Amino acid sequence: MTIQTLTVLVVGATGSIGRLVVDEAIRQGHTVRALARSADKARRLPPEAQVVLGDVTRPETLSAAVDGVDAIVFTHGSDGAAKVGAESVDYGGVRNVLVALGSRTARIALMTAIGVTNRTGAYNRSTEVQDWKRRSERLVRASGLPYTIVRPGWFDYNRPDEHRLLFLQGDSRQAGNSSDGVIARRQIAEVLVHSLISNHAIRKTFELVATKGPAQADLDA
């Protein structure tokens, strides 16, 4: 069987999910380009990754990052930078990368968050992060590019026997705590990377959580 290999740009490559996406994409045989704001931040990435320096809030720094890529995985986040960061990073980062991409085609995998449509929760009222992440989803859908949007549950809250993946739709889990669903960071990375070569994942938006049981070998099913 021929396995499709891609040149994949990872946005947020030095973050806790991004580093795992880089590792997983390399493991699956892809050529990985890692976007980093500084060489210091990129030092923990594997040597197989092609590091490209750039800042998602500065569009003029992104041309080299998107040149010649087949796919883009967005795992970036504003990390507590409040309302200004939510707009400029969570939303602005997606906008600026897509603008830099221009008329070229690339497969997109965007990570947002479970409960992203909850506009009235205390977290969103204080940070507007959910609002701006939701708007970034709209940008991706409106781009006309083939995409998958993954809304993961709470990172690494799962027990040792909770690895069976559930792909949910409807965004009805909006408690704002781990009762919404839990998922291992490593599994988020696996799903994001696999979605790039899965016809079943094209133009899908889903919440990703894990339940009791072993992980499935066949994500397409």
Side-chain angles (χ1 to χ4, degrees):
M1 181 179 68
T2 301
I3 298 176
Q4 183 182 8
T5 57
L6 308 170
T7 297
V8 179
L9 172 65
V10 182
V11 179
T14 60
S16 67
I17 305 294
R19 292 197 302 270
L20 295 173
V21 168
V22 169
D23 291 342
E24 180 63 21
I26 291 170
R27 188 189 71 79
Q28 292 190 25
H30 300 299
T31 298
V32 177
R33 190 174 297 170
L35 181 64
R37 282 180 292 175
S38 70
D40 285 343
K41 285 184 171 292
R43 284 178 180 169
R44 286 185 290 177
L45 296 173
E48 297 91 337
Q50 303 171 357
V51 175
V52 180
L53 298 183
D55 187 330
V56 295
T57 67
R58 297 172 57 207
E60 70 277 8
T61 68
L62 300 174
S63 296
V66 300
D67 187 38
V69 299
D70 302 305
I72 303 172
V73 182
F74 290 96
T75 66
H76 65 298
S78 51
D79 295 330
K83 295 178 180 180
V84 172
E87 179 178 0
S88 64
V89 177
D90 293 274
Y91 173 81
V94 175
R95 177 196 60 209
N96 292 338
V97 171
L98 292 179
V99 169
L101 186 65
S103 61
R104 290 166 289 188
T105 298
R107 182 72 178 262
I108 305 296
L110 171 66
M111 182 185 78
T112 58
I114 200 165
V116 74
T117 61
N118 183 357
R119 304 179 65 182
T120 60
Y123 174 68
N124 188 58
R125 290 200 309 271
S126 64
T127 66
E128 296 181 0
V129 166
Q130 304 289 61
D131 287 339
W132 289 110
K133 284 184 181 294
R134 191 175 63 255
R135 290 165 183 150
S136 75
E137 291 186 355
R138 291 180 193 162
L139 282 181
V140 168
R141 295 191 191 100
S143 71
L145 298 171
Y147 70 84
T148 305
I149 296 171
V150 180
R151 298 168 169 175
W154 288 62
F155 302 167
D156 290 339
Y157 274 62
N158 49 309
R159 300 185 184 93
D161 62 347
E162 290 181 325
H163 292 290
R164 183 168 183 79
L165 296 174
L166 296 179
F167 299 85
L168 308 172
Q169 291 187 304
D171 203 23
S172 60
R173 299 188 178 192
Q174 299 187 356
N177 56 50
S178 60
S179 70
D180 285 331
V182 297
I183 183 72
R185 283 177 167 88
R186 175 184 57 80
Q187 289 189 291
I188 300 169
E190 289 174 357
V191 170
L192 287 167
V193 175
H194 182 74
S195 76
L196 300 175
I197 58 171
S198 171
N199 289 333
H200 299 277
I202 292 178
R203 294 183 176 82
K204 295 290 198 310
T205 299
F206 53 83
E207 295 83 57
L208 179 66
V209 300
T211 190
K212 187 173 182 179
Q216 306 93 311
D218 183 3
L219 296 185
D220 282 343

